[in-house]
Amino acid sequence: WVSKKIDKTEYKKNAVTEVQDSRDSAYLQIVASGTGLPGQEIRIVRPDTLYPCDPGEIGEILVHGPSIAQGYYKKPDLTKEVFQLALPDSPGKFYLRTGDLGFLDNDNLYVTGRLKDLIIIRGQNHYPQDIERTIETSHEVFRKGCVAAFSIKADFEEHLVVVAEADLDRITNADEELPQIEREVRKAVASHHDLDPHSVVLIKKGTLPKTSSGKIRRQNTRQEFLDDELSVVHRFDFHPHRSQGTTPSDSHANPGDATSEKGEADIQAWLIDRLSDHLEVEPNTIDPAQVLSEFGLDSKDAVNLSGDLEDWLGRKLSPTVLWKYPTIQKLSQYLASEGSLSQSNF
């Protein structure tokens, strides 16, 4: 079989850049699907304009040739849309829109994902199967092929939602372990994909929508999520201020807890102490106005710090909160304000 190692960062931007030394780069290994049949033409186009992609650019896969079916039975509109696509540079010739994304290299076709399943958040492309693989390995409660990742629109932006079957036979105390598993999912997604799940939903084993051949039906899962039809065993929805009066999940801290009443000075002192321990320096050398990344914190350090902070505060935080409020000063101000806003809504 033929494969390529491509740069992971460029891949998210629809670009294919081959990695020469995989020891020094984050890369993905993609296996080719083979070459076209005799008399068959394969085109890679940009889905929005239908113009050809540049070499090394990922786009939608179109096929033309004698082996293509004529269309759908008694569905002329759908037939025209899917089987009779005319390209601006090829008048009089019809192409099949496969709905798959990929690229060509030396006549080999590489399929990277499905167009309708592509998750685009903050201008970055994310393939659900990559996120799903990350979650599958984040905890033993998950099984391969039992996780669905998709996006929904909320507050005028696209947000990630994760739905995963939970094997309850591997859990001895659901009340304690399920919130911890949800947190491991959020940490894994933040570490590997720099994404903050809007919702993490754990459902009963065997209830994830699939085809008869066992493939995940992401769009069906998405619709069941929106319609509240999933067989939920634990759900966490992240609402930064819960200003719309939404009801928190059981995994949120009790608003009466003393841990939710920490003020800006307390939070700043805790962050300085925690960072000084990490850097092995005296607390008085930490400048609260300095950007955290300048202290040498990488993405994994930031995720760990965020996790410890939410334990101390007794409430859930976004795994990306340290990127949104990049200094101790700004982070302390935000967390103190966020805590008081959260309490005022209960």
Side-chain angles (χ1 to χ4, degrees), residues 52-68:
C53 288
D54 295 328
E57 182 181 2
I58 295 172
E60 185 178 1
I61 302 169
L62 308 182
V63 183
H64 169 82
S67 61
I68 304 302

Side-chain angles (χ1 to χ4, degrees), residues 121-178:
I121 297 178
R122 298 190 297 274
Q124 292 287 316
N125 293 346
H126 300 273
Y127 291 87
Q129 57 268 31
D130 297 335
I131 299 171
E132 290 158 4
R133 278 194 293 268
T134 295
I135 295 167
E136 288 169 358
T137 58
S138 67
H139 197 279
E140 63 177 6
V141 76
F142 303 121
R143 297 177 300 143
K144 186 176 181 180
C146 296
V147 181
F150 52 87
S151 66
I152 62 167
K153 182 159 283 189
D155 300 324
F156 307 103
E157 293 181 340
E158 290 295 318
H159 296 272
L160 174 67
V161 174
V162 170
V163 176
E165 289 185 6
D167 186 354
L168 298 181
D169 294 336
R170 295 178 176 268
I171 298 174
T172 55
N173 189 329
D175 290 340
E176 291 184 4
E177 294 181 57
L178 287 174

